[in-house]
């Protein structure tokens, strides 16, 4: 993907939230985006992050993307759902990978 897209999942690389997965909900300018996770970072008070401080994941949460395109916003519940599903799938993929090691 060339650049960040609303609904895209990202890993925070630096700052207090380092190691947390978030979802991009808006492109702020050419260097920064607004992110939220539906929990600590609510959609009503998203965190502004420099793109360089994020590791973009090659994954867009369709329900979040569709909601942002249709209504201009997304609910905290949809953000939490999308991140939970992503993390569960990621853990399942890692477990499958472990089966073949050895």
């Amino acid at each position: 993907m060339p650049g960040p897209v609303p609904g895209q999942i990202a890993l925070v690389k630096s700052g207090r939230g380092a190691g947390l997965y978030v979802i991009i909900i808006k492109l702020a300018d050419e260097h920064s985006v607004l992110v939220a996770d539906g929990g600590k970072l609510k959609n009503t008070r998203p965190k502004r992050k420099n793109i360089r401080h994020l590791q973009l994941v090659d994954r867009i949460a369709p329900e979040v993307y569709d909601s942002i395109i249709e209504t201009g916003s997304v609910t905290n519940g949809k953000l939490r759902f999308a991140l939970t599903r992503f993390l569960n799938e990621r853990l399942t993929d890692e477990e499958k990978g472990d089966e073949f090691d050895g």
Side-chain angles (χ1 to χ4, degrees):
M1 282 183 218
V5 178
Q8 187 170 10
I9 297 172
L11 176 64
V12 179
K13 292 192 299 187
S14 61
R16 276 191 199 162
L20 296 177
Y21 283 94
V22 294
I23 297 182
I24 296 169
I25 59 172
K26 189 174 184 180
L27 306 178
D29 58 40
E30 61 187 44
H31 299 291
S32 59
V33 293
L34 299 178
V35 299
D37 64 6
K40 187 177 177 191
L41 297 173
K42 303 282 189 207
N43 64 350
T44 53
R45 291 196 44 129
K47 176 79 176 152
R48 183 185 203 101
K49 289 298 268 180
N50 187 314
I51 296 167
R52 292 182 304 182
H53 298 166
L54 297 174
Q55 178 181 332
L56 299 178
V57 176
D58 191 18
R59 178 77 163 289
I60 295 175
E63 61 279 343
V64 175
Y65 177 81
D66 292 343
S67 180
I68 291 170
I69 296 301
E70 291 170 14
T71 67
S73 67
V74 63
T75 64
N76 289 315
K78 280 186 183 172
L79 291 168
R80 286 191 306 270
F81 173 80
L83 283 172
T84 301
R85 188 177 65 191
F86 167 73
L87 292 171
N88 287 339
E89 288 173 8
R90 196 171 144 259
L91 287 173
T92 303
D93 289 346
E94 286 177 5
E95 288 167 6
K96 288 179 186 171
D98 289 343
E99 292 173 12
F100 299 111
D101 293 346

